[in-house]
Amino acid sequence: MTLAERYRELSSLDALFKECATGTVRVAIVGGPVASGKTALLHALAERAVEAGALVLSAAASRAEQTLPLGVLDQLLRNVESADGDVDRELSPLDHALTRALSSPDLDVTTHLASPSVRDLLGRLHQLAEDRPVLIAVDDVEYADDLSLRCLLYLVRRLRSDRVMVVFTELFGPRRRHPILETDVMRQPYCRYIRLEPLSPFAVGTLLTQRTSRPGAQRLVGAFHRITGGNPLLVKALLEDSLDPARGMSAPAPGEAFQEAVVRCLYRYESPELDVARAIAILGDAASPDLLAATLGLSRHPVAEATETLTLAGLLDGTRFRDGAARVAVLQSIPPGDRMALHASAATALHNAGFPASAVAEHLLCGVGPREPWEVAVLRETAEQALDNGDGERALLLLKRAQRHSADERERAVALSLIARAEWLLDPSSVERLLPELGTAVRRGLLTGRHGARAIDYLLWHGRPQDAAELLGELRHHDERTAGQALNRLRALYPDTRPPAWGEAAPGRAALAPQLSAVHTLSDDVDVLMTGAEQVLQSARLDDSALIPVIAALAALIYGGSLDKAEFWRESLAAEAGVRRTPVWEAMLAGLGAMTELRRGDLRAAHRQASRALTVMPARSWGVGIGLPLASMVAATVGLGNLDRAEAWLDTSVPEAMFQTRAGLHYLEARGWFHMSTGRLHAALGDFQVCGELMGRWGLDIPAVVPWRSSAAYAYAELGRRDEGRALAEEQLAVIPSWDHRTRGITLRALARTSDMRGRRALLFEAVEVLQRSYDRLELARALTDLSRVQHGLGEPGTARRTARRADRLAEASGAQWRGRPPFALAPAARAATEGRAVAEGRAEAGSGAGSRGGPEGVPAAVAGPGVDDLSNAELRVAALAADGYTNRQIAAKLFITVSTVEQHLTRVYRKLRLSRRSDLPSAIPPEASLALSERYGS
């Protein structure tokens, strides 16, 4: 038998037994916390006593037999150990005496000592002790029946000179000691009290060393002691969980054995220790003496005593469990009915102590249900907090618990509104079934303020602007201020819809919140707009009321060309949405991510984001917003060369009302370019013209949003109506602000498509130069492809090949599948006729001088100028990367030099090669130099 750190106590008991053997009665009481080794110590003493020739009578009292008269004494006479093993003859008279005592009619606590049968029993015990030392061992004496204990003590008092030793073990703690021991034994000179303390870290280390010989076990001593508090049973259980037969032990790992040991220890206690431990498990980190007392309906003193007892037992550290696994074990051990009652009491205690509603609601959810009016209010307040944080699942759980206890119609209507809000965050399509009931509540004036406004917002989301306008008029009768704010959103989302109740007096765009009207103010002073958009995003929270402002602010950044900022904020919000598991936010942000990647020219990334948007939230849940991810998906799929798949996406059912929103503009643009790619030019032109009509009517005719004129110009050019296309392109070029390099480059390319060959080359050179200052490498690749074809048509095959190689590298990086034509180009049959005309025009215009070194008008002088032999290696590296479209900052990062050094190299390059602008570089730098640099530093 292993006794960890109990040898000193065992030596004390051995000494008492030796004194007993000389003819002096001795009594020892061994006390300690639960599972501290009391029983093991008692068994060790009994073994030594038997080896010394003593007669050992043992018993283990129990809670179940505490009311059984002489139950412990009966055990003592039946659990006997002796060295010779032949004690039946000696014990038989005792057994008969005990039987007579148990059948005595006067057997009770007050008269038992006067009973002749009991006196006969005691006399025979006295005779037994005359022949050899007798050890009487009673484990868990706090549960002993009174009659047995009085008999034993009566015997001890009358055997003062006999060789008898009585050892009791007791569970340490306030009010634990048996009252008979307290009054009749403890004050006697022959009684000694031995207290067992928790194991020290040294003793815990000894146990670890005994169980595993692997190195490193000693470094775990502190962790083992902290988790177990030195409780031997817990230490051994934790060792069992943590020791891997193959790999040894790397860290304490509380598991099933540890949790079972915790429950075994705890259930050795009764009230108040058991109740306090359960209450601590229920309250968690909020547990304190005052809250525990309030939860259990006790005074503070017994709670303090119980926590002290459980701390000594290694179960607690003050009012906390030493390890989370212990708390889980206790929670799981509480019967369901008791657990619900404890949660309800804890909720009341926390509420009365002024804890936040969210802390109280946790227990109301697990309790027996709202019983008081304040409980319903707490559940609803916490649900609104969850909704403000975008946590629809938790909000629904709280609201469903509170809904059936709402007191009147208005409360039930508000509860319904909150349920709709929670369901919308999880799946907007689920709210449709609630719209009739919500509308009725608004008309009756039961839902006003934000609740009434949300009922209108749900109608707007699901493409019912006329119903929303009608309900808006009803809301105005009850809450004009909120109705006015809802009207702003209606006009921003559906510019063509006007509530009849307002008529011509309805406020217009001037009344829109700044973040909603942001895209209407794109101008040369774009920095002010970008700052305002970022201010909106800095204070954004992922609740439904913030969705429209956040989407508008991100859209403003995207339209304004601040793609890096837009992506930073989008990714930050998307990460939070992912943690909170709010599908609406995740899907909308992914949709905006697809739009951002398209404007960067990264088709693969755009396809991934659009796929995520349509996976996280299915098409039926998007409402009129479906146009946003579908447009990006179609555009990316066409660019990737999968026209069949793009057509399948266009077959997705969309609400008719989508075409009354800005999302419809992006959808029409993407569908128009799909038609262009498949040769349906008239259908494409129709989509682009509808875009223009809507944008003009809405006062949103801004090329940065949808450059419909340049798109229509392409269609006109392919239809042979160049003059009409050129007029649109020139009109668009005149209104593009200076900062919008992407749209300017796209428009210049469109203008080139409608121009003659001589003018086309100059416009494309300018388009390339402008697009190099934008993010969009795909549009740059398209412009370079067009330029290479013009160069080929003008009889410049070498230059055309170099330009085409550069375009192909950019296209490959963007994911575009040229298949002999750039994305959004004509179908093969139409393309062949057009390219044939371009070559014929180029040859006719170039004439015999097309192949000369000087080149026709518009060809950079550097083509006929000096070579690159005068450039240093460093200058050539910088020039080659610049020719491939890299910015100065990107070149500096690739070559590990400063931006200033890049600028100095380029200045010398321009001087040596006699170039006037950056777009001349691709024609001046040998393709082999550009290719080598791309292979070395990445495309």
Side-chain angles (χ1 to χ4, degrees), residues 347-408:
T348 301
L350 290 168
H351 176 71
N352 292 338
F355 273 70
S358 57
V360 179
E362 288 288 346
H363 298 284
L364 291 177
L365 280 177
C366 301
V368 294
R371 299 166 298 178
E372 302 290 339
W374 67 262
E375 294 179 292
V376 176
V378 164
L379 287 170
R380 198 161 66 198
E381 179 185 348
T382 308
E384 292 197 65
Q385 291 174 1
L387 288 171
D388 289 342
N389 293 326
D391 191 347
E393 290 182 354
R394 175 169 166 75
L396 268 181
L397 196 62
L398 292 158
L399 290 167
K400 288 180 178 178
R401 176 61 68 96
Q403 184 184 25
R404 60 180 176 270
H405 296 277
S406 299
D408 57 28

Side-chain angles (χ1 to χ4, degrees), residues 130-147:
E130 290 179 347
D131 298 333
R132 73 186 82 180
V134 176
L135 174 65
I136 300 175
V138 180
D139 201 10
D140 295 329
V141 69
E142 66 271 17
Y143 298 124
D145 64 279
D146 286 355
L147 193 52

